[in-house]
């Protein structure tokens, strides 16, 4: 008689994995917030006993467009006209009129003939890269070492050959491409603004290498759309490079302040993803009210540079003030302002103290989002953060840096 095999204790296994996270100081605790419409970046903190107001300093709603009057009005009007849901996938009754108008607006934003909207930026990258690289026989994908998890997932899902080039390293990309079969179809995939360090890719030089080797250029502009360029088309628009980009990936959830992801490119390429990508085909479409809100945001930022100018001014001021206080601001050249802590447990302690004592909410960023030893507070100033809010932020960080002796730790 065969010995009895004891079944796995799944609950114990999962509990042990969570205990490991807690021991390393990497267990994520979500702050339950109620944003104040019309009063961003103020929010109400729920779930910690009494309700209290806090100032949010880590939102990806970079321009506050999620509460812009034009965006709210468009969502309300569409909700009353079309109802709450999309009613199905794009193929089965879900292709609503605001969504089609949004895709046309996004194609125009990036000077491309066509665009396709997805449920999120993650889905857009995953579906687009897995489909494009997976469809092309013998394709090789060249991926920046710091590409987002959604790009990594899409490339992995394509089962195409993958090469990783050193972050923003043009020579390394050229070396890798030159070493492969010249006839092999090639895809260069990288971001414009990298979300954790806030640095910018050398897009023109990377395009030079891609063009030398006949590669398709896939550019993720998630942290740049709405924020850079004369119409908010991103860094490629700002630098006059849109005609050299094969595929632009973007989001509606950050600079545009709503939710959803998208890609823009040629008609055949977009139609191929529309027709073959499971992540698009089998997902319920964006609801009309959401699409209408995003459409209003894109249209507004195409013609208004006020938000972008104020955003850059606020980000520059915060960096100056933090550096003047000898706080370890990392080398950010964009609107993203990382402050190095360097230890996961300390990073969480500082974040908790900011929230509990000063009413300032900044989520700690730990491994695996960033490498171990580079744990940080990722600060994202918006056009709506006031001078008084900046004073409070800098003062609170100075106090906590002294308390935890973080100058020596950093």
């Amino acid at each position: 008689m065969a010995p009895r095999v004891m079944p796995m204790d799944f609950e114990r296994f999962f509990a042990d994995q969570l205990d490991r996270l807690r021991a390393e100081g990497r267990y994520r605790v979500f702050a339950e917030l109620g944003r104040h419409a019309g009063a961003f970046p103020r929010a109400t903190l729920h779930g910690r006993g009494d309700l209290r107001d806090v100032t949010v300093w880590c939102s990806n709603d970079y321009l506050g467009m999620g509460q812009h009057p034009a965006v709210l009005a468009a969502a309300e009007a569409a909700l009353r006209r079309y109802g709450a849901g999309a009613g199905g996938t794009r193929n089965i009754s879900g292709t609503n009129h605001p969504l089609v108008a949004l895709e046309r607006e996004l194609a125009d934003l990036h000077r491309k003939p066509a665009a396709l909207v997805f449920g999120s930026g993650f889905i857009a990258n995953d579906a687009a890269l897995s489909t494009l690289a997976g469809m092309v026989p013998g394709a090789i994908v060249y991926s920046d070492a710091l590409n987002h998890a959604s790009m990594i997932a899409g490339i992995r899902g394509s089962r195409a050959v993958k090469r990783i080039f050193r972050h923003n390293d043009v020579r390394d990309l050229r070396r890798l491409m030159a070493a492969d079969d010249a006839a092999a179809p090639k895809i260069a995939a990288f971001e414009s603004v990298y979300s954790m360090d806030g640095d910018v890719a050398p897009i023109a030089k990377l395009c030079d290498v891609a063009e030398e080797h006949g590669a398709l250029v896939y550019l993720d502009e998630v942290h740049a759309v709405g924020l850079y360029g004369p119409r908010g088309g991103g860094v490629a628009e700002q630098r006059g490079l849109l005609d050299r980009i094969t595929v632009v990936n973007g989001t509606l959830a950050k600079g545009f302040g709503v939710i959803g992801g998208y890609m823009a490119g040629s008609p055949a390429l977009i139609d191929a993803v529309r027709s073959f990508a499971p992540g698009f085909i089998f997902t319920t479409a964006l609801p009309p009210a959401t699409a209408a809100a995003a459409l209003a945001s894109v249209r507004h930022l195409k013609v208004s540079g006020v938000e972008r100018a104020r955003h850059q001014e606020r980000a520059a001021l915060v960096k100056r003030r933090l550096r003047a206080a000898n706080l370890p601001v990392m080398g950010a050249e964009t609107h993203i302002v990382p402050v190095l802590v360097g230890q996961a447990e300390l990073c969480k302690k500082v974040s908790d103290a900011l929230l509990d004592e000063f009413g300032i909410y900044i989520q700690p960023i730990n491994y695996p989002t960033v490498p171990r030893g580079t744990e940080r507070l990722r600060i994202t100033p918006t056009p709506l953060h006031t001078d008084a809010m900046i004073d409070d932020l800098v003062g609170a960080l100075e106090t906590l840096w002294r308390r935890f002796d973080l100058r020596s730790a950093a």
Side-chain angles (χ1 to χ4, degrees):
M1 184 175 180
R4 184 167 176 252
V5 177
M6 294 298 293
M8 181 175 184
D9 186 342
F10 288 101
E11 287 302 304
R12 182 68 264 160
F13 173 80
F14 296 135
D16 288 345
Q17 298 304 304
L18 293 171
D19 286 343
R20 285 178 54 196
L21 276 183
R22 292 186 182 95
E24 295 174 12
R26 296 193 295 117
Y27 182 76
R28 290 181 170 96
V29 177
F30 296 159
E32 183 183 347
L33 299 175
R35 300 209 298 170
H36 296 176
F40 182 79
R42 302 293 292 167
T44 298
L45 179 67
H46 296 259
R48 294 201 178 195
D50 59 326
L51 299 179
R52 53 198 181 89
D53 284 350
V54 298
T55 303
V56 179
W57 274 101
C58 59
S59 175
N60 281 342
D61 187 358
Y62 293 132
L63 300 177
M65 290 301 294
Q67 302 186 26
H68 191 282
V71 175
L72 299 182
E76 182 178 3
L79 180 65
R80 296 190 180 279
R81 180 175 182 181
Y82 299 108
T89 64
R90 291 294 296 272
N91 185 53
I92 305 176
S93 83
T95 299
N96 55 79
H97 177 64
L99 184 49
V100 173
L102 174 61
E103 288 176 335
R104 290 172 180 158
E105 202 73 35
L106 291 167
D108 175 75
L109 175 66
H110 296 290
R111 306 297 189 193
K112 301 297 182 188
L116 195 64
V117 168
F118 300 79
S120 73
F122 192 106
I123 296 171
N125 265 331
D126 190 1
L129 282 166
S130 63
T131 301
L132 293 173
M135 286 180 68
V136 179
I140 304 173
V141 183
Y142 302 82
S143 176
D144 187 284
L146 294 188
N147 275 345
H148 190 263
S150 59
M151 300 176 76
I152 295 169
I155 296 166
R156 183 184 297 121
S158 75
R159 299 186 179 180
V161 174
K162 177 179 67 174
R163 313 278 190 235
I164 299 174
F165 63 93
R166 290 189 292 269
H167 178 54
N168 282 347
D169 192 324
V170 177
R171 289 183 179 180
D172 199 40
L173 176 61
R174 178 176 281 112
R175 177 185 66 82
L176 290 171
M177 285 192 170
D180 282 321
D181 182 356
K186 298 175 176 64
I187 299 173
F190 52 93
E191 302 181 39
S192 60
V193 175
Y194 286 84
S195 62
M196 290 299 118
D197 292 342
D199 55 335
V200 181
I203 299 173
K205 292 180 180 179
L206 292 171
C207 285
D208 289 343
V209 176
E211 289 162 7
E212 289 170 14
H213 296 274
L216 180 155
V217 176
Y218 185 103
L219 177 64
D220 179 307
E221 290 260 36
V222 161
H223 291 274
V225 289
L227 309 173
Y228 297 91
R231 302 193 310 157
V235 177
E237 183 197 30
Q238 181 188 52
R239 297 182 177 181
L241 299 171
L242 281 175
D243 61 331
R244 302 181 68 185
I245 309 301
T246 316
V247 182
V248 177
N249 172 274
T251 185
L252 302 165
K254 295 180 172 63
F256 295 124
V258 191
I259 193 170
Y262 66 89
M263 59 183 295
S266 72
L269 186 149
I270 295 299
D271 201 11
V273 175
R274 184 191 72 87
S275 300
F276 290 98
F280 175 81
I281 295 169
F282 298 105
T283 300
T284 298
L286 280 191
T290 303
L295 176 61
S297 184
V298 173
R299 284 177 173 169
H300 176 83
L301 290 174
K302 274 185 175 181
V303 298
S304 174
V306 173
E307 292 83 4
R308 283 188 286 277
R310 172 74 172 175
H311 184 222
Q312 291 298 315
E313 183 273 329
R314 293 284 88 181
L317 177 59
V318 168
K319 284 184 274 192
R320 286 199 306 271
R321 292 289 309 278
L322 292 173
R323 286 175 177 140
N326 292 319
L327 290 160
V329 178
M330 300 172 73
E333 55 186 297
T334 59
H335 59 282
I336 296 166
V337 186
V339 177
L340 180 66
V341 177
Q343 298 178 36
E345 188 175 358
L346 275 176
C347 200
K348 187 176 187 309
K349 285 182 179 179
V350 173
S351 174
D352 288 345
L354 283 170
L355 189 60
D356 295 336
E357 299 177 34
F358 300 96
I360 292 172
Y361 172 50
I362 307 175
Q363 189 71 7
I365 305 295
N366 295 325
Y367 176 85
T369 306
V370 296
R372 296 180 192 274
T374 69
E375 292 84 357
R376 67 199 65 180
L377 301 176
R378 178 181 176 271
I379 299 170
T380 54
T382 74
L384 301 172
H385 282 96
T386 66
D387 287 351
M389 291 174 181
I390 295 173
D391 290 341
D392 291 343
L393 171 69
V394 175
L397 288 174
E398 285 185 298
T399 297
L400 295 175
W401 246 248
R402 288 193 296 269
R403 178 187 303 174
F404 294 111
D405 194 23
L406 279 169
R407 295 181 195 282
S408 58

